[in-house]
Each structure stands twice: as structure tokens, then as C-alpha cells.
Amino acid sequence: MKIILDAFGGDNAPVETIKGAAMAVAEYGVKMILTGDEQEIRRVAGEQGVPLDGIELVHAPQVIPVCAEPTSIMKEYAGSSLAVGLRLLAEGGGDAFVTAGSSGALVVGASLMVKRIKGIKRAAFAPTIPCVGGSGNYMLMDSGANVECRPEMLMQFGVMGSAYMNKIMGIERPRVGLINVGVEESKGGELQLAAYKLLQKAPVNFVGNVEPRELPFGACDVAVCDGFSGNIVLKLTEGVASAFTKQIKGVFMKNLGTKLAAAAVKGGMSEFKKQMDYTEHGGAALLGTARPTIKAHGSSNAKAFKNAIRQAKLFAEQDVIGEIELGLAELKQRGQELEV
């Protein structure tokens, strides 16, 4: 198993990417390919005392800025660590790809270089988010790759998300819900009304409309929506979780009595903190591309990169893309519209 890692993607690159790659080699037995300035990678690895055993270096002289136009990955930044990594993936040089770089450039580059699964209209970001019910996590799809969507795209998100949650998270029949302003079938705009009908006929365990307030309680395993709505849900969830954690800490640190109470529940609070820690979860799968691709958080540290690599390894091993293709084939047999 070879995992390609964009060594210069993310706020803490290349120090944390190199450390994360070395940790993954040691813990998961994978082979790593780092794309980026080879001389700089060797210099940083030497300074940090990080072994490069099991790590292959592929030189890429450029780094694409997060603020750059996404399409520039095809021309001005064709020599960037992100572009070189994607081309390597497309050519079969590795089994999966991980980056914490530009989200927009990743979507454009993956769609044009790696290509999409045949029949899939758009690739979409699909992070898994902790919740207190159900399986303990739900997938939010799309969380920002496609601001505007058509009904058949949302239906395909449900098919792809269901396949991922089944293969990677081990959920036998993932419950697919459509994010909406109410649970009634008649709720929502034209997009939601049309998507509801398509999801009813899709080869997924569709449980109907789900209100955003029910997501933290495990109302579904795959929450489907357009990228604009999904990004708002994702960022609001991150903000509320951060505020809630800060508030709890303030309560426990108030006086001696509350500090003693904090000591009594330390184990439970540590488990809660771990559950809410994004570094434990790796990254968001970019579902819809023809090869496994993972988008790590921009501020990822070595631990987060290590877990994103683990996620990419499972993505490739469990043949999620093959499962998605089976779902699409079933849709075609049922006569549902895949192309527009």
C-alpha cells in the first residue's frame, strides 16, 4: 500500500507532514510518497530527527497558495506539490492521496486529472462528525465543494456516502437523511423536493428529511445537502463545539469545589475531548473521484496527518469506489437519471 502525501499542503507543512508520514510508516506499515521540494524535505527531516525510511520523495518545486484561483493548478501551479501528487495518483503511482492544501484546487485538480467515477456529476467533501447517538458519527455531504447543486447530485451524494459509511465505518445499513427545514415530505425548496423523490428510489436506506438540530443526536448516518448549506452546518458545529468545551472548562475551574468535581469526571471528560478532537478523525473524503482522496484539515499536526493516512489506507483497502460503482449500476438498472 502506497499513500501519496502533499508534503507542503497545510499551515504546518512541511514539518508536521513529514512527522505524520514517518508515524504512519511505523504504525500502519504503509509506504509513503512525499511530493514537494526534495532538498527542503531532507533538510527539515534532518533537523527534526525524522527518519525517511519507507518514504519516497518526488520533487515538486512549487506550492500552490490557498488564495490562488483553483483552476491555476492546471497551469501556473502545475509543478506544485498538490498537482504533482494528483498526477502521480492518476498515473497509478500510489493507492491514495492526502493533502491539507487548497480545497478548491484539490477539487479542480482531482476532477480534471484523477477524473470522476463514471456517472458521477460532482465530487464532494464528506467529513464524519461526532454525535451522541446512532453510530457515534455521521457523514455530512456535501460540506463545501459544490455551492450549487442539482437534485440528482444530492441523490448521488447519498449513494456515495452510504457506501463509505458501510465500508469504512462498518454500518450495515447506513441511514441516509436529507437536511431540510422540517421533516415533512412537503418541506423545502425545489432542490429538496426533487432530491427527496430521487432518494426514495435510490438503493440506499433513506429515512427522509432531517432537521439540522437532530444531527448531533444521530438522526442519520449520512446527512445529504448542497455544499453551501453543508459548509454552514459544518462551521456552526465546529464553533458550537468549541464554545461548549470552553464553557465547560470555565464551570469546572470556578472554585475549589468545582475543581474537585472536575477531578472526579476527568476520565469521562478526556474521552469527550478525544471524541471532539479533529486530529483523531483524519480528514474528509473527497467522494466521487476515481481514486481515493482525503482532504486533511488545514491546521493539521503530525497526529492528524497520521490519521488521515490511516483513513486513506482504509479507503483504498475497502474498495469504497467499487461499492459506489455498484450503487450506480443499480440506479441505472432502475432507470434513474444519472446524466444531465
mmCIF file of all heavy atoms in Angstrom, residues 264-291:
data_model
loop_
_atom_site.group_PDB
_atom_site.id
_atom_site.type_symbol
_atom_site.label_atom_id
_atom_site.label_comp_id
_atom_site.label_asym_id
_atom_site.label_seq_id
_atom_site.Cartn_x
_atom_site.Cartn_y
_atom_site.Cartn_z
ATOM 1 N N ALA A 264 -13.078 14.309 39.546
ATOM 2 C CA ALA A 264 -13.892 13.098 39.626
ATOM 3 C C ALA A 264 -14.357 12.618 38.247
ATOM 4 O O ALA A 264 -14.570 11.430 38.033
ATOM 5 C CB ALA A 264 -15.104 13.343 40.523
ATOM 6 N N VAL A 265 -14.531 13.555 37.332
ATOM 7 C CA VAL A 265 -15.027 13.174 35.993
ATOM 8 C C VAL A 265 -13.934 13.320 34.925
ATOM 9 O O VAL A 265 -14.234 13.397 33.741
ATOM 10 C CB VAL A 265 -16.265 14.023 35.603
ATOM 11 C CG1 VAL A 265 -17.413 13.749 36.553
ATOM 12 C CG2 VAL A 265 -15.928 15.515 35.571
ATOM 13 N N LYS A 266 -12.693 13.344 35.352
ATOM 14 C CA LYS A 266 -11.581 13.572 34.436
ATOM 15 C C LYS A 266 -11.550 12.549 33.305
ATOM 16 O O LYS A 266 -11.332 12.894 32.138
ATOM 17 C CB LYS A 266 -10.264 13.539 35.207
ATOM 18 C CG LYS A 266 -9.055 13.876 34.339
ATOM 19 C CD LYS A 266 -7.775 13.869 35.156
ATOM 20 C CE LYS A 266 -6.568 14.201 34.280
ATOM 21 N NZ LYS A 266 -5.306 14.183 35.064
ATOM 22 N N GLY A 267 -11.778 11.281 33.641
ATOM 23 C CA GLY A 267 -11.738 10.241 32.617
ATOM 24 C C GLY A 267 -12.783 10.459 31.535
ATOM 25 O O GLY A 267 -12.498 10.369 30.342
ATOM 26 N N GLY A 268 -14.006 10.762 31.966
ATOM 27 C CA GLY A 268 -15.092 10.992 31.021
ATOM 28 C C GLY A 268 -14.849 12.219 30.165
ATOM 29 O O GLY A 268 -15.145 12.217 28.966
ATOM 30 N N MET A 269 -14.317 13.269 30.778
ATOM 31 C CA MET A 269 -14.041 14.497 30.028
ATOM 32 C C MET A 269 -12.917 14.286 29.010
ATOM 33 O O MET A 269 -12.952 14.838 27.918
ATOM 34 C CB MET A 269 -13.676 15.632 30.986
ATOM 35 C CG MET A 269 -14.830 16.129 31.847
ATOM 36 S SD MET A 269 -16.267 16.633 30.859
ATOM 37 C CE MET A 269 -15.577 18.010 29.939
ATOM 38 N N SER A 270 -11.940 13.469 29.379
ATOM 39 C CA SER A 270 -10.847 13.168 28.443
ATOM 40 C C SER A 270 -11.377 12.415 27.233
ATOM 41 O O SER A 270 -10.970 12.668 26.091
ATOM 42 C CB SER A 270 -9.769 12.330 29.139
ATOM 43 O OG SER A 270 -9.156 13.071 30.177
ATOM 44 N N GLU A 271 -12.315 11.498 27.479
ATOM 45 C CA GLU A 271 -12.915 10.740 26.386
ATOM 46 C C GLU A 271 -13.742 11.654 25.483
ATOM 47 O O GLU A 271 -13.722 11.532 24.257
ATOM 48 C CB GLU A 271 -13.800 9.623 26.954
ATOM 49 C CG GLU A 271 -14.323 8.651 25.909
ATOM 50 C CD GLU A 271 -13.216 7.900 25.195
ATOM 51 O OE1 GLU A 271 -12.176 7.615 25.820
ATOM 52 O OE2 GLU A 271 -13.406 7.610 23.993
ATOM 53 N N PHE A 272 -14.461 12.589 26.118
ATOM 54 C CA PHE A 272 -15.266 13.555 25.362
ATOM 55 C C PHE A 272 -14.367 14.440 24.498
ATOM 56 O O PHE A 272 -14.655 14.677 23.324
ATOM 57 C CB PHE A 272 -16.066 14.425 26.336
ATOM 58 C CG PHE A 272 -16.754 15.604 25.691
ATOM 59 C CD1 PHE A 272 -17.872 15.433 24.900
ATOM 60 C CD2 PHE A 272 -16.266 16.893 25.877
ATOM 61 C CE1 PHE A 272 -18.500 16.527 24.299
ATOM 62 C CE2 PHE A 272 -16.882 17.990 25.286
ATOM 63 C CZ PHE A 272 -18.003 17.800 24.496
ATOM 64 N N LYS A 273 -13.270 14.902 25.090
ATOM 65 C CA LYS A 273 -12.337 15.754 24.365
ATOM 66 C C LYS A 273 -11.743 15.008 23.176
ATOM 67 O O LYS A 273 -11.583 15.573 22.086
ATOM 68 C CB LYS A 273 -11.230 16.229 25.302
ATOM 69 C CG LYS A 273 -10.273 17.241 24.677
ATOM 70 C CD LYS A 273 -9.233 17.716 25.687
ATOM 71 C CE LYS A 273 -8.282 18.716 25.043
ATOM 72 N NZ LYS A 273 -7.240 19.164 26.001
ATOM 73 N N LYS A 274 -11.425 13.732 23.378
ATOM 74 C CA LYS A 274 -10.857 12.922 22.308
ATOM 75 C C LYS A 274 -11.862 12.757 21.172
ATOM 76 O O LYS A 274 -11.520 12.828 19.994
ATOM 77 C CB LYS A 274 -10.446 11.556 22.854
ATOM 78 C CG LYS A 274 -9.791 10.655 21.811
ATOM 79 C CD LYS A 274 -9.360 9.332 22.428
ATOM 80 C CE LYS A 274 -8.706 8.429 21.375
ATOM 81 N NZ LYS A 274 -8.281 7.125 21.957
ATOM 82 N N GLN A 275 -13.133 12.543 21.548
ATOM 83 C CA GLN A 275 -14.181 12.364 20.542
ATOM 84 C C GLN A 275 -14.356 13.619 19.689
ATOM 85 O O GLN A 275 -14.622 13.539 18.496
ATOM 86 C CB GLN A 275 -15.509 12.006 21.219
ATOM 87 C CG GLN A 275 -16.624 11.703 20.228
ATOM 88 C CD GLN A 275 -17.950 11.462 20.906
ATOM 89 O OE1 GLN A 275 -18.179 11.884 22.046
ATOM 90 N NE2 GLN A 275 -18.857 10.785 20.226
ATOM 91 N N MET A 276 -14.185 14.782 20.305
ATOM 92 C CA MET A 276 -14.398 16.044 19.600
ATOM 93 C C MET A 276 -13.137 16.557 18.900
ATOM 94 O O MET A 276 -13.185 17.553 18.189
ATOM 95 C CB MET A 276 -14.883 17.119 20.589
ATOM 96 C CG MET A 276 -16.197 16.788 21.291
ATOM 97 S SD MET A 276 -17.548 16.476 20.138
ATOM 98 C CE MET A 276 -17.806 18.106 19.472
ATOM 99 N N ASP A 277 -12.015 15.876 19.092
ATOM 100 C CA ASP A 277 -10.733 16.312 18.533
ATOM 101 C C ASP A 277 -10.621 15.898 17.072
ATOM 102 O O ASP A 277 -10.583 14.704 16.751
ATOM 103 C CB ASP A 277 -9.601 15.693 19.357
ATOM 104 C CG ASP A 277 -8.229 16.171 18.923
ATOM 105 O OD1 ASP A 277 -8.149 17.010 17.995
ATOM 106 O OD2 ASP A 277 -7.231 15.698 19.497
ATOM 107 N N TYR A 278 -10.544 16.879 16.170
ATOM 108 C CA TYR A 278 -10.499 16.567 14.741
ATOM 109 C C TYR A 278 -9.248 15.784 14.352
ATOM 110 O O TYR A 278 -9.240 15.048 13.351
ATOM 111 C CB TYR A 278 -10.580 17.861 13.907
ATOM 112 C CG TYR A 278 -9.300 18.649 13.826
ATOM 113 C CD1 TYR A 278 -8.360 18.396 12.830
ATOM 114 C CD2 TYR A 278 -9.003 19.640 14.761
ATOM 115 C CE1 TYR A 278 -7.175 19.110 12.755
ATOM 116 C CE2 TYR A 278 -7.824 20.360 14.700
ATOM 117 C CZ TYR A 278 -6.918 20.089 13.695
ATOM 118 O OH TYR A 278 -5.741 20.795 13.643
ATOM 119 N N THR A 279 -8.177 15.914 15.148
ATOM 120 C CA THR A 279 -6.942 15.205 14.792
ATOM 121 C C THR A 279 -7.112 13.690 14.908
ATOM 122 O O THR A 279 -6.343 12.934 14.321
ATOM 123 C CB THR A 279 -5.767 15.640 15.694
ATOM 124 O OG1 THR A 279 -6.014 15.246 17.049
ATOM 125 C CG2 THR A 279 -5.562 17.152 15.637
ATOM 126 N N GLU A 280 -8.116 13.248 15.656
ATOM 127 C CA GLU A 280 -8.371 11.822 15.811
ATOM 128 C C GLU A 280 -9.062 11.239 14.584
ATOM 129 O O GLU A 280 -9.013 10.028 14.352
ATOM 130 C CB GLU A 280 -9.249 11.569 17.050
ATOM 131 C CG GLU A 280 -8.608 11.931 18.376
ATOM 132 C CD GLU A 280 -7.571 10.918 18.820
ATOM 133 O OE1 GLU A 280 -7.546 9.809 18.252
ATOM 134 O OE2 GLU A 280 -6.789 11.227 19.728
ATOM 135 N N HIS A 281 -9.724 12.086 13.813
ATOM 136 C CA HIS A 281 -10.579 11.599 12.729
ATOM 137 C C HIS A 281 -9.911 11.635 11.363
ATOM 138 O O HIS A 281 -10.440 11.074 10.409
ATOM 139 C CB HIS A 281 -11.881 12.403 12.690
ATOM 140 C CG HIS A 281 -12.650 12.329 13.979
ATOM 141 N ND1 HIS A 281 -13.481 11.265 14.277
ATOM 142 C CD2 HIS A 281 -12.696 13.150 15.055
ATOM 143 C CE1 HIS A 281 -14.013 11.452 15.475
ATOM 144 N NE2 HIS A 281 -13.547 12.584 15.964
ATOM 145 N N GLY A 282 -8.765 12.301 11.234
ATOM 146 C CA GLY A 282 -8.040 12.323 9.969
ATOM 147 C C GLY A 282 -8.448 13.466 9.078
ATOM 148 O O GLY A 282 -7.916 14.565 9.180
ATOM 149 N N GLY A 283 -9.400 13.231 8.206
ATOM 150 C CA GLY A 283 -9.807 14.277 7.279
ATOM 151 C C GLY A 283 -11.133 13.940 6.637
ATOM 152 O O GLY A 283 -11.832 13.028 7.054
ATOM 153 N N ALA A 284 -11.462 14.676 5.596
ATOM 154 C CA ALA A 284 -12.717 14.466 4.875
ATOM 155 C C ALA A 284 -12.418 13.755 3.557
ATOM 156 O O ALA A 284 -11.527 14.157 2.811
ATOM 157 C CB ALA A 284 -13.409 15.802 4.603
ATOM 158 N N ALA A 285 -13.158 12.706 3.280
ATOM 159 C CA ALA A 285 -13.010 12.028 1.999
ATOM 160 C C ALA A 285 -13.565 12.928 0.898
ATOM 161 O O ALA A 285 -14.584 13.594 1.087
ATOM 162 C CB ALA A 285 -13.768 10.705 2.022
ATOM 163 N N LEU A 286 -12.889 12.966 -0.232
ATOM 164 C CA LEU A 286 -13.430 13.627 -1.419
ATOM 165 C C LEU A 286 -14.060 12.516 -2.248
ATOM 166 O O LEU A 286 -13.385 11.828 -3.013
ATOM 167 C CB LEU A 286 -12.333 14.350 -2.205
ATOM 168 C CG LEU A 286 -12.790 15.069 -3.481
ATOM 169 C CD1 LEU A 286 -13.796 16.166 -3.157
ATOM 170 C CD2 LEU A 286 -11.600 15.668 -4.225
ATOM 171 N N LEU A 287 -15.353 12.315 -2.060
ATOM 172 C CA LEU A 287 -16.035 11.205 -2.725
ATOM 173 C C LEU A 287 -16.491 11.596 -4.126
ATOM 174 O O LEU A 287 -16.986 12.703 -4.340
ATOM 175 C CB LEU A 287 -17.241 10.758 -1.893
ATOM 176 C CG LEU A 287 -16.930 10.148 -0.522
ATOM 177 C CD1 LEU A 287 -18.212 9.690 0.159
ATOM 178 C CD2 LEU A 287 -15.962 8.981 -0.658
ATOM 179 N N GLY A 288 -16.331 10.673 -5.035
ATOM 180 C CA GLY A 288 -16.712 10.915 -6.420
ATOM 181 C C GLY A 288 -15.540 10.839 -7.366
ATOM 182 O O GLY A 288 -15.713 10.680 -8.577
ATOM 183 N N THR A 289 -14.319 10.953 -6.854
ATOM 184 C CA THR A 289 -13.132 10.834 -7.701
ATOM 185 C C THR A 289 -12.827 9.354 -7.944
ATOM 186 O O THR A 289 -13.199 8.489 -7.143
ATOM 187 C CB THR A 289 -11.908 11.509 -7.061
ATOM 188 O OG1 THR A 289 -11.687 10.962 -5.752
ATOM 189 C CG2 THR A 289 -12.123 12.999 -6.937
ATOM 190 N N ALA A 290 -12.138 9.080 -9.039
ATOM 191 C CA ALA A 290 -11.890 7.701 -9.447
ATOM 192 C C ALA A 290 -10.820 6.998 -8.613
ATOM 193 O O ALA A 290 -10.645 5.780 -8.730
ATOM 194 C CB ALA A 290 -11.493 7.657 -10.923
ATOM 195 N N ARG A 291 -10.113 7.752 -7.779
ATOM 196 C CA ARG A 291 -9.097 7.174 -6.893
ATOM 197 C C ARG A 291 -9.271 7.777 -5.497
ATOM 198 O O ARG A 291 -9.705 8.931 -5.365
ATOM 199 C CB ARG A 291 -7.683 7.483 -7.406
ATOM 200 C CG ARG A 291 -7.424 7.097 -8.857
ATOM 201 C CD ARG A 291 -7.009 5.671 -9.024
ATOM 202 N NE ARG A 291 -5.677 5.424 -8.462
ATOM 203 C CZ ARG A 291 -5.077 4.236 -8.464
ATOM 204 N NH1 ARG A 291 -5.699 3.203 -8.996
ATOM 205 N NH2 ARG A 291 -3.877 4.087 -7.962
#
